Amino acid sequence: MLVTIQDRMISVLGGASALVGMFGVVHFSGQILAPVIPDSAPPSPKLVRPGSSQDVRVKEVQLTPCLAVGLGGPLSLLTTYGVSTLAKLAFLPEQKTVSEILKVDPKVCMAMGAGLFAASALLRFLSVRYMINIGKQTDEGFQLKTLCTRGPYGIFRHPIYVGVLGCTLAAPLVLDSVYALAGPMAYATWAYVWVIPSEERAMMDKFTEEYKSYCEKSALAFIYETLMRSVK
C-alpha cells in the first residue's frame, strides 16, 4: 500500500508543480498591468492609502458598481487546477491516459498543454490590457466607462473568460489525466451558467443599445449563443 501511495504522489507532483507555475504566470502578468494612480488622483474608497503620499497600484477594474475584474490570477483558475489535481490523484492508476488516447508521448502531451496555456494566458493578458488602456480613475475607483469592442473583444464577447477556460483545459494535458477534465468542466459551468449571464445583464443596464448592438455584431457570437442555449 505504501508503494501505491508513493507512486501516486510522484506521478501527480510534476504536473501539480507545473500548474502552480502556470497560475503564477497568469497572476504576475496581470499584476504588471496594474496602472499606477498618482497621489493627486481623485480619492477612491477602492484605494486605501492612509497618510501616504505614495502611488497606489490598482487591483481591479470596475465594470459596474457591483461588478469588478481583478488584475491578478483569478481564484477560480487556482481552484480549477486544484480540482483537476485531486481528480487525477483520486483515480490513479487510470486505465487510459490522455496521451494514450491521443497516441502521443506523455512529454508531447505536456508540451501541448503548455502551448494551449501560453495561447490562452496571452489572450487573457491582451484582454485585460485593453480594458486598462480605455479605463480611467474616478471617485468610485478605476472604472471602465467605454464599452470594449476592439482587440480581443472584436473576436470574443468574453475573451477573459475564454482565456481562463483555455488555461483550465491545459490541466488534463499537463496532468495527462482524463479525470482532470473535472476542473475545466466545473469552471465552464460556473462561468457560463452563473457568472457571464449576470455580467451581461449588468453590462446591458450600463450600455443598453450599444451593448445589444455589440452582441449582435461580435465575431463568434453564434458559438456563444449556441452554448448558452444548450445549457439552459
Side-chain angles (χ1 to χ4, degrees):
M1 180 62 69
L2 180 60
V3 175
T4 301
I5 294 176
Q6 289 177 340
D7 289 344
R8 290 189 178 190
M9 296 305 297
I10 291 173
S11 64
V12 171
L13 183 60
S17 299
L19 293 181
V20 171
M22 288 157 59
F23 175 80
V25 170
V26 173
H27 178 75
F28 289 110
S29 64
Q31 290 297 312
I32 65 175
L33 286 174
V36 177
I37 304 302
D39 192 61
S40 58
S44 166
K46 296 290 182 182
L47 305 177
V48 181
R49 45 186 176 191
S52 173
S53 61
Q54 297 180 350
D55 294 341
V56 177
R57 295 182 70 82
V58 173
K59 295 183 178 180
E60 62 184 19
V61 177
Q62 291 288 132
L63 302 181
T64 70
C66 302
L67 185 63
V69 174
L71 303 186
L75 182 60
S76 56
L77 177 59
L78 185 61
T79 302
T80 299
Y81 284 165
V83 171
S84 294
T85 302
L86 290 175
K88 174 181 174 65
L89 183 62
F91 292 99
L92 280 178
E94 296 185 40
Q95 292 183 349
K96 208 164 190 177
T97 63
V98 174
S99 60
E100 290 173 340
I101 294 174
L102 298 178
K103 297 182 179 179
V104 297
D105 186 89
K107 292 181 180 179
V108 174
C109 188
M110 178 173 283
M112 292 169 60
L116 175 59
F117 167 80
S120 302
L122 178 61
L123 174 61
R124 181 184 184 275
F125 178 86
L126 294 175
S127 303
V128 174
R129 186 179 70 174
Y130 183 83
M131 282 201 312
I132 291 296
N133 289 340
I134 67 174
K136 65 179 182 179
Q137 175 65 15
T138 70
D139 291 342
E140 301 299 323
F142 195 84
Q143 292 195 356
L144 189 66
K145 293 293 187 180
T146 305
L147 182 64
C148 299
T149 58
R150 298 182 179 180
Y153 294 88
I155 303 174
F156 301 101
R157 195 187 305 181
H158 302 282
I160 293 179
Y161 290 106
V162 173
V164 176
L165 178 60
C167 290
T168 67
L169 288 171
L173 294 169
V174 171
L175 292 171
D176 195 13
S177 171
V178 175
Y179 293 105
L181 278 168
M185 290 174 63
Y187 174 81
T189 301
W190 171 77
Y192 287 92
V193 175
W194 177 258
V195 179
I196 290 179
S198 61
E199 189 172 297
E200 289 203 329
R201 287 192 294 269
M203 298 301 286
M204 186 67 75
D205 291 339
K206 182 174 183 178
F207 295 107
T208 59
E209 291 300 320
E210 183 183 4
Y211 187 74
K212 182 178 180 180
S213 176
Y214 163 69
C215 291
E216 294 174 349
K217 296 179 180 179
S218 59
L220 301 182
F222 67 96
I223 297 179
Y224 173 77
E225 295 295 346
T226 301
L227 176 63
M228 293 306 298
R229 283 196 296 268
S230 67
V231 299
K232 287 182 179 179

